[in-house]
Amino acid sequence: MDLFHRPALAEQMAKQLLEPGLLDQGLRSGLFLSGLRRTGKTTFLRQDLIPALEAKGAIVIYVDLWADTKADPATLVHAAIRRALADLQAPGSGVLGRLARLKGVDVGAAGFKFGFQLNEVGAKGGVTLAQALTEVIELARTDLVLIVDEVQQALAGDDGAQMLLAIKAARDAINPRPDTPGHFLFIGTGSHRAQVVGMTLQGKHAFAGATSVEYPTLDGDYVAYVLQGIAQEGAPVLPSLPVATAAFNLLGRRPEELIRALRQLQREDPAEADRLLPVIASTLKGAAADVELRKLEDLGVLAGAIFDRVARVEGDATGLFTADALADYAATVGREVTADQVQRVSEELRDANLIVRKGHGTYAVTDPFVQQAWRERKMLAGPAAPQRSADAG
């Protein structure tokens, strides 16, 4: 079955970003999209939005901070920028060909010649992002869009925060110029709504004041597309569209989970499709979280106690290393627990992508879907009521 595309949505967003009307001018301060994992954000970015932006002549640089969760976010962003600039220097570059066709940019056969070395970009004492990207826009005479997927990972360390400040500095250096031949636009996407929205609301963050919106998840049109596709492929068991749409919603509008549910449904009686699909979807909803929570089990009892302290909090969790916290951990694991041990295990939880450090001593569960599943299971087991942020410290 072919990939489901969303050209109308991509075209609308590309126009708002590159050709903003009066009501869309604020997008040049930054656009942050939030949505749960595996709901199609990255597919939409790469297969629909980026082509739509490029079709309007923009240079697009994309980087996924979850491509290597152990790498420093700033390292990943700087590497992506250097690769894009290297492409602009390469003779016969596809980007250069597109700029010549859409923007009439004449760069000859040799590609762009920058007044700096690529290895200086992002290096200490080297050319700043503001200087490098300003030069790119001056040469290309077009807009440049930097897309950082899973942008909340940049909050995990000081280098990531400094990188966001450098990106903001590039925006502030390029966009206010009355004669700029192009603008610099930043798009950040993330799977943790509270963290992503917080990056635009809290004054301590580089992009405070930028626009934050929910990612427009797939809907009934996608479900109809899938049902039509599997029917054409000869699938014998087909649910009705309303039942399939309700199952899709139950599964968090995650395409992979819907396909998995429909695959399991093929083993059943066609007459029972509408009755059984909701049962299958409910089972898979728990199984999707199991994949992540199995990592937690592998890390041991102390990891589970630390994760529980983070997951029970409504906002950001603090106080993971306080005397009260250490006493709680000790009661759970049945032995004394030191702050050094908590530090080590919390690092293992971060490496497993189960929690994220948002600042000094401040943590959150990486995936709210997993957090919800954990809370539901603890509730069935009779856990304490969820705490608020203020209670966690």
Side-chain angles (χ1 to χ4, degrees), residues 51-329:
L53 292 167
E54 291 178 338
K56 291 184 177 293
I59 297 172
V60 182
I61 302 173
Y62 170 86
V63 57
D64 182 0
L65 297 189
W66 266 356
D68 183 355
T69 57
K70 295 183 179 181
D72 181 79
T75 299
L76 295 175
V77 170
H78 292 143
I81 291 173
R82 286 194 293 267
R83 284 194 300 271
L85 300 193
D87 189 33
L88 289 170
Q89 287 184 324
S93 162
V95 178
L96 294 178
R98 186 167 60 248
L99 290 176
R101 185 175 69 255
L102 297 175
K103 294 290 186 176
V105 177
D106 182 11
V107 295
F112 287 158
K113 299 295 183 184
F114 299 123
F116 55 86
Q117 298 298 315
L118 295 188
N119 59 9
E120 296 177 357
V121 178
K124 186 176 181 180
V127 64
T128 67
L129 288 186
Q131 293 167 332
L133 299 183
T134 297
E135 188 166 333
V136 172
I137 288 174
E138 286 291 337
L139 291 170
R141 317 299 292 177
T142 192
D143 299 306
L144 190 153
V145 184
L146 174 62
I147 301 176
V148 177
D149 208 353
E150 299 301 346
V151 68
Q152 75 278 348
Q153 292 296 103
L155 302 176
D158 292 339
D159 286 346
Q162 290 300 315
M163 177 265 298
L164 290 174
L165 287 171
I167 293 172
K168 174 184 178 292
R171 178 199 72 184
D172 294 344
I174 294 167
N175 292 350
R177 301 181 303 168
D179 57 346
T180 182
H183 291 85
F184 172 62
L185 297 111
F186 178 75
I187 301 174
T189 75
S191 57
H192 197 298
R193 183 180 183 278
Q195 294 178 27
V196 175
V197 172
M199 295 176 76
T200 67
L201 295 179
Q202 300 174 19
K204 65 181 180 180
H205 291 307
F207 282 88
T211 301
S212 176
V213 298
E214 289 277 355
Y215 164 69
T217 52
L218 295 162
D219 53 21
D221 288 344
Y222 170 74
V223 180
Y225 169 82
V226 170
L227 293 181
Q228 181 182 10
I230 65 173
Q232 291 174 346
E233 293 172 356
V237 187
L238 296 171
S240 65
L241 178 58
V243 169
T245 301
F248 185 51
N249 292 337
L250 179 64
L251 291 166
R253 298 192 176 186
R254 302 186 180 205
E256 293 177 4
E257 298 305 316
L258 175 64
I259 297 297
R260 188 172 290 116
L262 292 172
R263 188 183 302 121
Q264 290 191 19
L265 187 66
Q266 301 312 303
R267 308 168 188 164
E268 310 297 340
D269 182 348
E272 295 289 302
D274 278 0
R275 183 181 71 84
L276 292 176
L277 183 60
V279 177
I280 294 172
S282 295
T283 303
L284 287 179
K285 178 184 177 183
D290 283 341
V291 174
E292 296 298 313
L293 294 179
R294 201 169 295 123
K295 300 178 187 176
L296 184 60
E297 293 177 5
D298 292 341
L299 291 175
V301 180
L302 179 56
I306 297 170
F307 182 85
D308 181 60
R309 192 173 186 89
V310 177
R312 283 188 288 122
V313 175
E314 295 290 353
D316 297 338
T318 59
L320 267 63
F321 307 94
T322 63
D324 286 345
L326 295 179
D328 287 344
Y329 303 147

